[in-house]
Amino acid sequence: MITVAICDDQEVYLKWLKSEIVCCLEEVGFKDVEVLGFGNPHVFLDSLNSIGGVDVAVLDICMPGMSGTELANEIRARRDSTAIIFISSSKDYAVEAFALNAAHYITKPFRKSELKEALERAIQPIIVSDSKKIMINLGNGVYRNIDITSIDYIESVGYRRVIHCGSEVLNETRKSLSDILDELEVLSPGQFFRLHRWCLINLDAIKSISVERVQIRTGEELPMRSGVFRLLRESFFDWSFREKNEK
């Protein structure tokens, strides 16, 4: 399913745009589509936290309280892979919009064919991408979708699972480490290895392995569990060769 969110402060236009987007996506072969409409950018951001992100965001540039580009900045700060389409009555904001890695920029009034072209461009990376995501519960009703390729390792600390993604650290408050490993195995069998009872490591994140420690791509070093060196090395080689042969 593809999820599209629209944010526009004009209710009549918002309703019309929702209908047009559903129609355009059906015409290009997508029947399983959810289109969400928001008249307020702050409500839109609050909803992103609860639903864990969207595939495509269609944003009006000129809105009271928060502009479409400011809203896009907030979306980008979440590190979501959301494709963003801007809609504006002027081309004045185009440079700023594309600096935010916009998929498309449409000026009003526009034809249906222009909207369809923008949507096709936005969803193309979703179609061809082999990225896989898991949803994590950050607590207080906040959820987040993260690409598993961004994960370096996951450790249990007290009642939390701490997910290390480069310089970003996220806390999963509900799932056990075993539950997370089960989900990861479904998405990408063999990619994650149980380095310790309290730690999972992404084999793609490994930079070097020695008898005493594992160094990951960030330069951080994790201690090697006694007796697991050969098993990790074999798993790492098997995974690396599998990845190479599948490319």
Side-chain angles (χ1 to χ4, degrees), residues 4-211:
V4 181
I6 313 165
C7 193
D8 194 296
D9 61 306
Q10 298 181 32
E11 186 176 349
V12 174
Y13 185 77
L14 181 64
K15 184 177 180 180
W16 172 81
L17 192 54
K18 284 178 68 175
S19 175
E20 288 296 295
I21 287 174
V22 170
C23 183
C24 285
L25 289 175
E26 286 182 348
E27 287 181 7
V28 296
F30 286 92
K31 306 293 184 182
D32 193 9
V33 176
E34 181 180 21
V35 181
L36 309 171
F38 300 92
N40 183 297
H42 296 286
V43 174
F44 175 90
L45 284 175
D46 289 342
S47 296
L48 276 185
N49 286 331
S50 61
I51 64 179
V54 295
D55 296 308
V56 181
V58 182
L59 310 178
D60 186 27
I61 294 260
C62 297
M63 295 184 288
M66 181 184 291
S67 70
T69 51
E70 289 173 327
L71 178 55
N73 263 310
E74 294 292 330
I75 295 172
R76 289 288 177 250
R78 289 170 46 89
R79 301 189 179 218
D80 287 353
S81 56
T82 303
I84 298 176
I85 298 171
F86 287 106
I87 295 178
S88 175
S89 56
S90 167
K91 294 182 179 179
D92 293 345
Y93 306 95
V95 173
E96 185 179 359
F98 284 111
L100 289 162
N101 196 28
H104 215 302
Y105 188 102
I106 310 174
T107 53
K108 301 175 184 177
F110 54 84
R111 298 184 300 274
K112 182 179 179 181
S113 59
E114 293 178 272
L115 178 61
K116 186 190 293 187
E117 179 187 353
L119 289 167
E120 286 184 295
R121 184 179 296 180
I123 64 176
Q124 187 61 30
I126 302 169
I127 298 169
V128 302
S129 174
D130 61 354
S131 66
K132 301 178 177 72
K133 298 178 181 180
I134 60 170
M135 182 176 288
I136 62 172
N137 186 334
L138 299 175
N140 298 319
V142 179
Y143 293 84
R144 172 92 169 267
N145 267 332
I146 58 172
D147 191 321
I148 66 173
T149 61
S150 70
I151 299 172
D152 295 322
Y153 67 99
I154 307 170
E155 60 178 335
S156 281
V157 179
Y159 294 102
R160 296 170 294 124
R161 256 44 61 197
V162 182
I163 302 173
H164 297 260
C165 304
S167 60
E168 187 174 26
V169 178
L170 303 169
N171 292 313
E172 160 59 54
T173 60
R174 297 286 183 180
K175 300 172 187 173
S176 69
L177 206 60
S178 294
D179 289 339
I180 294 175
L181 181 57
D182 288 343
E183 288 187 35
L184 293 169
E185 276 295 301
V186 171
L187 292 171
S188 185
Q191 183 173 348
F192 286 79
F193 181 87
R194 193 149 200 162
L195 187 61
H196 297 274
R197 183 175 54 84
W198 47 268
C199 179
L200 304 176
I201 188 169
N202 181 358
L203 296 178
D204 274 340
I206 293 177
K207 186 176 180 180
S208 65
I209 303 171
S210 71
V211 176

Side-chain angles (χ1 to χ4, degrees), residues 209-214 222-230 233:
I209 303 171
S210 71
V211 176
E212 296 180 345
R213 62 185 60 87
V214 181
L222 304 175
M224 179 75 72
R225 175 162 56 97
S226 176
V228 81
F229 170 70
R230 282 192 174 84
R233 185 178 60 182

